[in-house]
């Protein structure tokens, strides 16, 4: 059955092809629908299978027309209107628009003028000097396209947060070392801690924009300059694009709010402002109560600072101008955060300091890289109160057949008890069991009785349909031996989509049976993800934020899991490994 990502991809293609065909307005509607379908916590195909058209149309951005296309795609595997667009514009739109400076409209024009359909066609046209002869283009445009073709071929996918954020931290450190930089911060999806990013967006407040741009472009880590000007620049660092924008210090807060997004959050916030006779943009918050409607709505460059400016230097001030508290970036996805802010009900979000231990880690007993003692020593260094070893049990999907037999598990429990006795923190004996295709975990009663914690995770049969998947996962969380359902979808970002399931139904079962749902902090997984975590918390399901670490250094993965939990509105009390040891033991027992 069609996945949410697959359906979203069709609508993204729809939007690009419509834009390439010079159609106005519709592309934005399709992109909004695509984003909300992709992020929806439950498989939308289930609504089609169940004939639940009403719930389908409740998804933001999915009206009658788009809902009909979802039904058509789920039932037939195709959308007739999209096929007609593809026939009219046989462009490999996703590949071509990865080239810097080539958007959908440009791709459409190059197809109509030169017959460009693929990256190879684009390269042939550029090498032949044909692009510069097209009206509206020129030698410089052609050169830029030629220079960026190879880079476009390399970036056929989004980058993991775990790849992009460390680079962003390095960029910020470099910019912060420049004397004339007043403030600097990342923006865009990376500041909202989305699991994948397209590029790294950085904002700087300074009075010396050109000087900062020069220092940015000349940074030793830069592998290539894409473009630069007085107030912005783009460079490549490795394969990742980094975009810099400089603004006046008095407009830093408003620009940070604007460029952080998400687009849906900003649209909702701007409408909230309009209802209060305010105007928000990247230049500030403006009281337009004394300004005519036509002037207040003007969006030309020279008229964006209309009305009395009441905020701009700080991001918090932009929200305060509307009578709202500052909304953490992780929440800015238009999933109820503005209503919660207005009602004074924003969550007190989880922090790294709240986490007292890790309940899913590995050692050399299975597929980890070091000893129990070394992993526990690192946990002690990090100030944890408790720590669980949860090596793989044997079963389907375990890499290299490195899972432990029942006999080996019992031997390891004895070894863990010895380390526990010699340690300053509580060391718990755990296992990562395998949730097989039917939801069974394959552990003997003797093993279950000997363990402190059982993490059960799917590792195989990850192509099951959504109905089978939810039955399988619910079976696992209903098993009284299971304490934590590990990485519930089994996905690997940019590699495999894993299981699709009804996150609300899973959460309801987990809440009923006191089974925690894991946020696996490995940046290749981040499973559960933000909207699914939010669904879990709304149903009262407990959460565990674990690293799945296989060596001491990867205990640092906690960073990614905590921010994923924050994207799901998680508070400390929602997360079992923020609890005192006695409370945790009571839960596990």
């Amino acid at each position: 059955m069609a996945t949410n990502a697959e359906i979203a991809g069709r609508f993204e293609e729809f939007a690009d092809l419509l834009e390439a065909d010079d159609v106005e307005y519709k592309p934005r509607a399709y992109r909004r629908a695509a984003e909300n379908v992709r992020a929806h916590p439950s498989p939308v195909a289930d609504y089609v299978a169940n004939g639940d058209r009403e719930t389908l149309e409740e998804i933001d951005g999915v009206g009658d027309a788009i809902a009909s296309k979802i039904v058509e795609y789920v039932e037939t595997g195709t959308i007739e209107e999209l096929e007609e667009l593809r026939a009219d514009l046989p462009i490999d739109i996703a590949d071509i628009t990865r080239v810097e400076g080539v958007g959908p409209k440009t791709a459409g024009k190059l197809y109509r003028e030169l017959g460009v359909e693929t990256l190879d066609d684009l390269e042939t046209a550029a090498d032949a000097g044909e692009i510069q002869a097209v009206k509206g283009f020129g030698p410089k445009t052609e050169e830029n396209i030629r220079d960026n073709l190879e880079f476009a071929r390399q970036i056929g996918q989004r980058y993991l947060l775990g790849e992009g954020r460390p680079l962003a931290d390095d960029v910020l450190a470099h910019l912060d070392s420049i004397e004339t930089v007043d403030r600097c911060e990342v923006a865009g999806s990376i500041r909202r801690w989305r699991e994948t990013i397209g590029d790294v967006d950085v904002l700087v407040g300074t009075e010396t924009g050109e000087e900062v741009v020069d220092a940015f472009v000349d940074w030793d880590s830069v592998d290539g300059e894409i473009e630069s000007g007085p107030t912005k620049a783009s460079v490549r660092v490795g394969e990742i694009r980094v975009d810099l924008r400089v603004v006046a210090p008095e407009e830093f807060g408003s620009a940070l709010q604007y460029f952080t997004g998400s687009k849906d959050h900003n649209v909702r916030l701007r409408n909230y402002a309009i209802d209060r006779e305010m105007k928000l943009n990247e230049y500030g918050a403006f009281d337009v109560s004394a300004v005519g409607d036509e002037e207040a709505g003007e969006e030309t460059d020279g008229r964006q600072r209309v009305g009395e400016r009441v905020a701009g230097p700080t991001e918090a001030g932009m929200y305060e101008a509307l009578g709202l508290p500052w909304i953490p970036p992780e929440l800015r996805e238009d999933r109820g955060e503005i209503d919660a802010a207005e009602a004074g009900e924003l969550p007190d979000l989880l922090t790294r300091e709240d986490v007292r231990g890790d309940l899913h880690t590995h050692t050399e007993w299975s597929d980890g890289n070091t000893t129990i003692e070394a992993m526990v020593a690192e946990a002690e260094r990090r100030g944890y109160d408790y720590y669980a070893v949860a090596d793989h049990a044997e079963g389907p999907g375990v890499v290299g057949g490195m899972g432990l037999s029942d006999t080996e598990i019992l031997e390891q429990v004895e070894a863990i008890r010895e380390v526990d006795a010699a340690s300053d923190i509580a060391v718990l004996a755990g296992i990562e069991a395998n949730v097989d295709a039917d939801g069974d975990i394959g552990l003997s009663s003797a093993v279950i009785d000997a363990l402190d914690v059982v993490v059960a995770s799917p590792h195989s049969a990850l192509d099951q349909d959504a109905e089978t998947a939810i039955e399988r996962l619910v079976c696992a969380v209903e098993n009284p031996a299971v304490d934590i359902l590990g990485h519930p979808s089994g996905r690997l970002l940019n590699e495999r989509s894993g299981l699709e399931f009804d996150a609300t139904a899973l959460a309801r079962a987990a809440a009923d049976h006191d089974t925690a749902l894991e946020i696996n902090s490995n940046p290749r997984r981040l499973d559960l993800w933000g909207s699914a975590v939010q669904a879990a918390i709304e149903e009262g399901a407990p959460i565990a934020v674990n690293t799945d670490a296989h060596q001491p250094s990867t205990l640092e993965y906690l960073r990614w899991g905590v921010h994923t939990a924050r994207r799901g509105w998680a508070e400390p009390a929602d997360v079992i490994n923020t609890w005192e040891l006695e409370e945790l033991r009571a839960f596990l027992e």
Side-chain angles (χ1 to χ4, degrees):
M1 189 172 289
T3 67
N4 288 1
E6 186 180 344
I7 295 167
R10 298 294 78 75
F11 288 140
E12 287 162 349
E13 183 184 1
F14 226 128
D16 285 345
L17 289 173
L18 286 169
E19 190 173 340
D21 206 25
D22 290 328
V23 175
E24 300 290 337
Y25 308 117
K26 280 188 177 181
R28 172 167 170 72
Y30 281 109
R31 289 196 175 98
R32 180 177 177 84
E35 184 172 351
N36 289 317
V37 167
R38 188 184 297 278
H40 195 65
S42 301
V44 300
D46 283 0
Y47 304 142
V48 178
N50 297 331
D52 189 359
R53 180 69 173 253
E54 182 178 349
T55 303
L56 185 62
E57 292 185 14
E58 287 176 358
I59 300 172
D60 195 15
V62 177
D64 179 68
I66 290 179
S68 295
K69 290 179 173 63
I70 292 175
V71 172
E72 181 183 0
Y73 186 74
V74 171
E75 291 182 346
T76 70
T78 188
I79 302 173
E80 183 178 354
E81 190 177 337
L82 178 58
E83 293 302 321
E84 292 172 357
L85 271 173
R86 287 171 172 170
D88 291 340
L89 288 169
I91 307 170
D92 192 341
I93 196 76
D95 276 357
I96 289 178
T97 54
R98 290 188 189 111
V99 179
E100 176 63 26
V102 181
K105 285 184 180 293
T106 300
K109 189 169 187 178
L110 291 174
Y111 169 72
R112 288 187 290 271
E113 296 289 334
L114 303 175
V116 170
E117 297 180 10
T118 66
L119 280 178
D120 289 341
D121 293 342
L122 188 64
E123 184 173 29
T124 299
D127 289 342
E130 295 174 345
I131 293 175
Q132 62 181 286
V134 176
K135 185 177 179 180
F137 293 74
K140 182 64 175 176
T141 301
E142 186 176 78
E143 180 183 356
N144 285 341
I145 288 174
R146 187 186 300 110
D147 290 346
N148 284 284
L149 274 163
E150 186 56 37
F151 185 58
R153 287 192 170 98
Q154 294 173 1
I155 57 168
Q157 60 186 16
R158 289 171 65 83
Y159 298 97
L160 301 184
L161 176 66
E163 298 168 334
R165 184 70 207 207
L167 169 58
D169 294 340
D170 291 342
V171 175
L172 290 177
H174 170 67
L175 291 170
D176 198 45
S177 70
I178 301 170
E179 186 174 348
T180 56
V181 168
D182 185 63
R183 292 182 63 192
C184 59
E185 182 56 273
V186 292
S189 58
I190 200 167
R191 186 168 182 242
R192 303 196 313 276
W193 298 84
R194 289 194 62 175
E195 59 262 39
T196 63
I197 63 163
D199 51 29
V200 174
D201 297 309
V202 186
L203 188 71
V204 165
T206 181
E207 298 285 4
T208 60
E210 292 191 41
E211 178 182 328
V212 172
V213 167
D214 289 343
F216 171 69
V217 171
D218 291 339
W219 183 32
D220 290 343
S221 296
V222 169
D223 294 309
E225 177 183 337
I226 299 171
E227 61 180 345
S228 65
T231 61
K232 59 184 179 179
S234 298
V235 299
R236 301 173 192 159
V237 180
E239 295 184 355
I240 300 179
R241 173 177 173 139
V242 183
D243 293 330
L244 168 72
R245 184 181 294 265
V246 296
V247 299
E250 63 270 20
E251 294 176 346
F252 181 84
S254 51
L256 182 61
Q257 193 286 319
Y258 179 86
F259 289 112
T260 294
S262 67
K263 183 184 294 183
D264 290 341
H265 172 84
N266 284 355
V267 168
R268 184 66 60 91
L269 192 66
R270 285 199 298 271
N271 289 335
Y272 186 91
I274 289 169
D275 291 342
R276 288 151 182 80
E277 296 188 290
M278 298 283 290
K279 177 183 177 68
L280 299 186
N281 57 35
E282 62 190 277
Y283 303 105
F286 300 88
D287 183 343
V288 294
S289 58
V291 178
D293 291 343
E294 182 176 349
E295 189 178 5
E298 186 66 48
E299 288 295 339
T300 60
D301 288 344
R303 302 296 296 161
Q304 287 182 327
R305 298 174 178 85
V306 172
E308 179 188 356
R309 179 177 170 148
V310 295
T314 69
E315 188 180 56
M318 295 291 289
Y319 290 95
E320 289 168 5
L322 301 177
L324 298 174
W326 178 77
I327 298 176
E330 296 96 328
L331 301 185
R332 300 181 199 174
E333 300 290 350
D334 192 23
R335 296 204 303 259
E337 67 275 9
I338 294 173
D339 289 342
E342 183 180 30
E345 296 175 352
L346 285 175
D348 181 14
L349 294 176
L350 178 75
T351 69
R352 290 181 66 170
E353 291 70 28
D354 295 318
V355 177
R356 296 175 179 271
D358 199 325
L359 301 176
H360 178 182
T361 67
H362 296 269
T363 73
E364 62 186 6
W365 280 69
S366 64
D367 62 340
N369 297 332
T370 191
T371 63
I372 298 171
E373 291 84 354
M375 295 297 286
V376 171
E378 178 62 17
E380 288 182 334
R381 189 190 71 79
R382 290 173 179 269
Y384 285 163
D385 295 338
Y386 45 81
Y387 180 84
V389 174
D391 274 310
H392 287 286
E394 60 186 4
V398 177
V399 176
M402 299 181 71
L404 305 180
S405 67
D406 281 6
T407 299
E408 291 169 327
I409 293 170
L410 294 174
E411 290 175 358
Q412 190 190 46
V413 168
E414 293 183 9
I416 291 171
R417 299 299 182 214
E418 292 177 5
V419 174
D420 176 45
S423 300
D424 293 331
I425 65 174
V427 184
L428 307 181
I431 200 69
E432 183 180 12
N434 299 283
V435 179
D436 70 17
D438 297 319
D440 296 326
I441 63 170
L443 295 179
S444 69
S445 58
V447 164
I448 292 169
D449 290 343
L451 294 167
D452 300 310
V453 56
V454 173
V455 180
S457 309
H459 293 100
S460 60
L462 300 178
D463 57 351
Q464 290 176 321
D465 62 76
E467 182 179 355
T468 305
I470 190 61
E471 291 176 355
R472 169 190 187 179
L473 296 177
V474 167
C475 180
V477 301
E478 290 178 344
N479 187 324
V482 175
D483 301 300
I484 300 169
L485 181 66
H487 52 72
S489 80
R491 74 179 186 179
L492 291 175
L493 292 166
N494 289 346
E495 296 179 45
R496 69 181 184 221
S497 58
L499 298 170
E500 285 224 352
F501 52 85
D502 184 332
T504 299
L506 179 62
R508 193 174 296 126
D512 289 344
H513 293 272
D514 283 334
T515 302
L517 301 179
E518 180 181 74
I519 299 172
N520 189 295
S521 303
N522 186 314
R524 295 176 62 226
R525 291 189 183 275
L526 296 183
D527 177 14
L528 296 171
W529 50 94
S531 59
V533 174
Q534 189 174 5
I537 288 170
E538 288 173 354
E539 294 297 323
I543 298 293
V545 181
N546 296 323
T547 64
D548 199 356
H550 285 60
Q551 59 190 37
S553 64
T554 51
L555 288 173
E556 182 59 25
Y557 285 168
L558 179 68
R559 181 188 195 191
W560 318 121
V562 165
H563 283 285
T564 299
R566 290 168 64 92
R567 284 179 57 79
W569 297 52
E571 298 184 315
D574 300 316
V575 179
I576 65 171
N577 44 321
T578 69
W579 301 350
E580 298 278 358
L581 178 61
E582 293 74 14
E583 184 181 6
L584 175 66
R585 285 193 186 277
F587 173 84
L588 297 176
E589 292 170 1

